[in-house]
Each structure stands twice: as C-alpha cells, then as structure tokens.
Amino acid sequence: MTVLQALPAFEDNYIWCYRGREGGSIVVDPGDAGPVLAAMADGLRIEAIFITHHHNDHIGGLNALRAASTGPVFGPADDRIPGIDRIARDGDVLQVPGFRPFRVLAVPGHTRSHIAYTDSDVLFCGDTLFSLGCGRLFEGTPEQMLASLDRLAALPDETLVCCTHEYTLSNARFAAAAEPENPARDRLLADIQVRRRQGIPSLPSRIGIEKACNPFLRTDHPERLGGLKQHLGSMPESRLARFAALRAWKDQFR
C-alpha cells in the first residue's frame, strides 16, 4: 500500500512524501527541511529524495536532509543542484525499495533541466504542470513547454498529478477567462473551494481532470478558447501559437 502526504512549506509549496509498501518514503522537492524533519521525528523514514529542478524552494532543505538520512538523492544533471547522488536522465528507470519502478521524463520549459518522475499511478511534476495551469517559462521556450505538457498528458487519465504549489484557485480565475464555458472545470472549482475553506489541499489532481479543465492542455480545441480570441482580437492558427499566447497572457493576468 502506498500513501501520499503533502507537507506544506513556505506560503504555497508542498513537499510530497510518498510512503511505500515497506514503510519507507520518497520525499520530493524538499525546499525546506523543517517539515520533513518534523515528519521524521514522527516516524518518517526516507528511502530516497527526488529533485525536479534547481529552484531554491525545491532544494533548499536538501543539505539538512542529507545529514539526517541515508537515502540517495536523485535529480537532473545540473550544476546548480548540490548534493545529487544519482543523476536521473530522460528514460531512466529508478528502483526504490518498496515502490514500483519510476520512469524519468525530461520536461524542459520552466527550467532547461527540469525532470518529472512517474510510476503511472503518481506523477511528481515539480513546476511543469499545475492544476489548471503550467509553469512560467524561465529558461525554456513555448515549443519545449508544450512538448513537455504533451508528454505528461499522454500518461493514464487516473495518474495522480502531484505538483508543488497550491495555485489552483488563482489558476482557476485565468482558466475561466481563457475558456468561459467549461462545466467540468466549474464543478471542479466548486469542490476545490470547499476543500480549501476546510484547509484541505486542492492536490493531487489527475491527468484526466487536467485534460478536461486546464486550458494549457486544451490548445487543440480553439473553439473552446473564446476568451483567448477576445483577448487577442483573433484566434492564432497553430496550436503552438495558441499555447504561447495563453502563457504570455497568463504572465500578466491579474
């Protein structure tokens, strides 16, 4: 049996702890060691640490956790990430005791070396895919990010999407502006509003939910993106152009 736990950190980060059949856990993107060390005091045992990219809110707690745990640290080939024990490259299959094998996916766009990890039941995607959104293009191009999102969207619909920020409600405002009529998204939003009022995370999402509700995964449906057409004055002809326009609009959306 595997169990997911989202440890809150900073203002809106989640550090994912994925407990396996033998009781050990995979910890994902520990930007702050404090919540993980507190969980370790309550019995959490780290079997491995997965890093998706180099931003400090994803790696800031790594040194402290390395001192407190013997589990290996997997991460991308990027000199900006200190403390990686095992480089994880696109297509690699990672074996962690007590877990199904994890496949590594290169998903550049947010950063040039961003990777994701999936066992097909669960996806740890860092800042590439968010619930109802996607990451900013700090180092990559729209082409790269669209290709990365396509890779994630090709996973089974039931795959749990474990991204690392609680952005869902703010993303929902943009999603409604881009695609004004989407009953599935509206039902999702109503459920998430209840959960957030109760202090429950909006995550994880699922791939199937994102394909039905996330405008960045719906650029092959230009007829649905009426808000984008109104924003631009016309609808871009290509899927890539529509994605790039959505991302640029989202960057300045308030």
Side-chain angles (χ1 to χ4, degrees):
M1 178 180 180
T2 52
V3 178
L4 275 168
Q5 182 181 12
L7 301 179
F10 308 120
E11 292 184 1
D12 53 33
N13 280 66
Y14 289 128
I15 301 167
W16 289 99
C17 294
Y18 189 32
R19 192 170 73 228
R21 297 183 299 272
E22 299 172 11
S25 292
I26 296 171
V27 173
V28 185
D29 284 351
D32 181 1
V36 184
L37 292 172
M40 291 177 72
D42 287 336
L44 177 77
R45 186 179 83 248
I46 298 177
E47 288 289 350
I49 297 174
F50 288 175
I51 301 295
T52 64
H53 66 292
H54 76 278
H55 287 161
N56 193 60
D57 63 325
H58 294 252
I59 67 170
L62 192 52
N63 286 339
L65 294 182
R66 281 174 56 85
S69 168
T70 58
V73 179
F74 297 89
D78 192 321
D79 291 340
R80 296 171 293 185
I81 307 175
I84 297 295
D85 297 315
R86 303 184 190 178
I87 299 299
R89 295 183 170 85
D90 185 51
D92 283 355
V93 176
L94 310 182
Q95 302 285 347
V96 179
F99 294 87
R100 295 173 57 189
F102 272 86
R103 181 162 53 102
V104 179
L105 304 175
V107 286
H110 182 65
T111 68
R112 64 175 183 265
S113 64
H114 202 303
I115 59 176
Y117 306 81
T118 184
D119 64 357
S120 293
D121 287 337
V122 174
L123 168 69
F124 297 114
C125 53
D127 288 356
T128 297
L129 174 64
F130 294 126
S131 182
L132 302 181
C134 74
R136 285 179 178 265
L137 305 182
F138 287 119
E139 298 178 355
T141 65
E143 292 92 336
Q144 288 176 314
M145 181 61 98
L146 183 57
S148 294
L149 292 175
D150 284 346
R151 294 194 77 182
L152 301 185
L155 294 171
D157 281 355
E158 291 303 307
T159 303
L160 294 172
V161 176
C162 299
C163 46
T164 47
H165 289 279
E166 183 58 76
Y167 288 166
T168 310
L169 288 179
S170 61
N171 284 342
R173 292 179 51 249
F174 178 76
E179 185 180 359
E181 297 184 11
N182 186 324
R185 181 204 59 233
D186 293 342
R187 290 192 296 270
L188 173 67
L189 177 57
D191 177 64
I192 287 172
Q193 287 171 330
V194 171
R195 290 163 63 184
R196 294 304 296 143
R197 284 196 295 269
Q198 297 173 345
I200 300 171
S202 68
L203 304 169
S205 182
R206 293 184 186 273
I207 289 293
I209 291 172
E210 296 308 310
K211 287 161 63 176
C213 303
N214 187 330
F216 293 100
L217 300 188
R218 295 172 62 76
T219 52
D220 53 349
H221 297 287
E223 73 281 0
R224 303 302 305 273
L225 299 176
L228 178 63
K229 182 177 180 179
Q230 183 176 3
H231 173 69
L232 296 175
S234 62
M235 180 62 71
E237 292 188 5
S238 75
R239 181 168 175 258
L240 175 58
R242 291 191 290 271
F243 173 79
L246 275 175
R247 186 60 260 181
W249 183 16
K250 178 64 165 63
D251 286 345
Q252 50 84 42
F253 184 80
R254 296 294 182 270

